[in-house]
Amino acid sequence: MPLHKILNKISINLSIKFFGARLPLSYVFFNTIFKWFIINKNINNEFIKKYYEDGFVKLDLNLADELDHIKEKMTPQGKNEKKQNLRLDEITQNHLKKILIKKFDKTFKDLEKYFNSNIVIANVNLFRNHHASNIVEGESEQVYSNYYHNDGYVLTYFKIFINLMDVGEKDGPLHIVYKKKTKVFFNESKYKDRYNYIPVENDKLIYKNTGKYGECFLFSTPECIHKAGIPDNFRDILQLTLIASPDSKIKNENLNIFRDNSNLIFTTKPYTVMKVFNLLIKHFDFRKKSLLRSQN
């Protein structure tokens, strides 16, 4: 194993043991400083406050009426796959983009105040998870992120999940560990990594994202340990990958949000300690300029 991977593994193991986070120590440092000095914890919004405390929140927003036309245009790609992308033609993509920008306008403005940053939709993905049989956590190969893990980014990377169908217990909902209970989960599951832990079923530690068609769920995937549930049949989801960016020139209206936009997304995945510091400095500069603008 290359030296940098060994060091990264050691760093993550130390974070799990001492900080209750499955992230490199440099990301733990970034997240801590960001929470102390950049995040606006006093924002007068109950949904954002709950997001800060738990790492996720179901938004007071339902897009069912707007999505009816979109669903008619969805075409599953591939055959008999455990996970299928749901394709949209270009006209429908543009229509969906306008819907998302309009419907989430207030949410994004609240998130901009919370993060003291510019909020950008970096990517939109529609997909279907099918039933997978004979899956034993820790013993079988995962089929679609169905073992407990977190996304390896700093906290300025997060997501909104929108149900494209009613999702109940048997439809494979997301299983999410409450952020403030991560250490307890690690202890109970004897968590080492996504392939080495004891399965835990504890409603006091784990939230299952069941809900109605069109419901929207804001979720910090780097901060919360989570996994995809396995549906009895299938589960359809619309996923928005968002970033809080210190670059005010990036506008949702000008982005093709149906591309992967890897260069943009990877700004929230700094690979060196120096890049972690540089990203923090950019966010401090953005916050300073925002404060100056608000005072003028």
Side-chain angles (χ1 to χ4, degrees):
M1 182 183 293
L3 180 60
H4 72 277
K5 289 189 176 182
I6 294 174
L7 293 175
N8 186 63
K9 186 174 180 62
I10 292 172
S11 177
I12 291 174
N13 287 340
L14 289 172
S15 292
I16 290 174
K17 182 175 182 179
F18 294 108
F19 300 104
R22 184 188 166 273
L23 291 169
L25 288 170
S26 58
Y27 286 17
V28 173
F29 170 79
F30 178 98
N31 291 350
T32 302
I33 298 300
F34 199 95
K35 289 176 186 176
W36 282 353
F37 298 106
I38 298 177
I39 274 182
N40 177 13
K41 296 183 285 292
N42 297 318
I43 185 171
N44 186 26
N45 183 299
E46 292 303 316
F47 293 99
I48 300 299
K49 287 180 179 178
K50 186 168 177 57
Y51 174 75
Y52 174 78
E53 291 173 359
D54 292 333
F56 59 84
V57 64
K58 188 166 288 189
L59 299 172
D60 186 19
L61 189 63
N62 191 297
L63 273 61
D65 292 340
E66 291 82 357
L67 291 173
D68 282 342
H69 173 69
I70 304 297
K71 286 187 65 176
E72 293 174 0
K73 302 291 185 178
M74 293 188 319
T75 305
Q77 292 184 302
K79 295 182 179 179
N80 301 320
E81 297 179 7
K82 297 305 179 185
K83 181 174 181 176
Q84 292 177 294
N85 289 325
L86 302 172
R87 184 182 177 277
L88 296 175
D89 61 67
E90 188 173 347
I91 293 174
T92 309
Q93 286 181 358
N94 291 332
H95 180 53
L96 176 57
K97 178 179 177 179
K98 290 177 182 178
I99 290 172
L100 296 174
I101 291 174
K102 180 180 180 181
K103 297 298 289 188
F104 286 107
D105 179 63
K106 183 181 183 305
T107 300
F108 289 171
K109 286 177 179 176
D110 288 336
L111 287 168
E112 284 176 355
K113 293 176 183 176
Y114 171 73
F115 280 106
N116 276 306
S117 305
N118 183 35
I119 301 300
V120 182
I121 306 173
N123 175 254
V124 171
N125 187 26
L126 299 90
F127 59 90
R128 171 175 293 172
N129 285 353
H130 288 276
H131 175 70
S133 59
N134 302 319
I135 299 296
V136 180
E137 288 184 60
E139 297 180 16
S140 309
E141 188 70 23
Q142 64 175 354
V143 290
Y144 33 63
S145 299
N146 51 291
Y147 293 167
Y148 278 112
H149 67 288
N150 64 293
D151 295 353
Y153 299 80
V154 295
L155 60 71
T156 52
Y157 171 102
F158 54 106
K159 294 181 179 180
I160 291 177
F161 290 90
I162 306 171
N163 292 339
L164 291 176
M165 55 184 279
D166 290 346
V167 178
E169 289 272 356
K170 295 183 178 181
D171 298 305
L174 275 169
H175 293 56
I176 306 148
V177 178
Y178 291 90
K179 183 172 71 173
K180 55 193 171 187
K181 296 181 180 179
T182 306
K183 283 188 177 181
V184 179
F185 172 81
F186 282 155
N187 289 334
E188 285 200 12
S189 65
K190 301 188 185 304
Y191 192 94
K192 298 292 187 298
D193 58 47
R194 69 196 303 164
Y195 295 106
N196 188 358
Y197 64 88
I198 299 170
V200 171
E201 290 291 337
N202 186 336
D203 292 341
K204 294 181 179 179
L205 300 179
I206 298 165
Y207 174 85
K208 296 179 182 178
N209 185 34
T210 57
K212 296 294 184 180
Y213 165 47
E215 287 185 347
C216 304
F217 187 73
L218 176 64
F219 175 29
S220 180
T221 57
E223 292 187 283
C224 292
I225 299 293
H226 59 280
K227 70 172 183 176
I230 297 177
D232 285 358
N233 190 8
F234 67 87
R235 174 171 65 103
D236 287 350
I237 286 290
L238 169 57
Q239 173 187 278
L240 280 61
T241 298
L242 307 171
I243 67 168
S245 172
D247 187 349
S248 59
K249 296 178 181 179
I250 303 172
K251 302 294 182 183
N252 286 315
E253 292 81 358
N254 301 329
L255 279 174
N256 184 342
I257 58 178
F258 294 93
R259 292 180 180 171
D260 62 6
N261 292 317
S262 297
N263 290 340
L264 178 58
I265 291 172
F266 283 163
T267 60
T268 59
K269 194 180 183 71
Y271 282 102
T272 66
V273 173
M274 185 58 66
K275 288 184 177 180
V276 169
F277 276 103
N278 287 340
L279 183 58
L280 270 175
I281 290 169
K282 288 179 181 178
H283 276 286
F284 274 112
D285 286 344
F286 185 95
R287 181 176 181 273
K288 181 180 178 181
K289 291 175 182 177
S290 297
L291 288 173
L292 289 174
R293 284 195 298 268
S294 66
Q295 292 170 0
N296 293 334

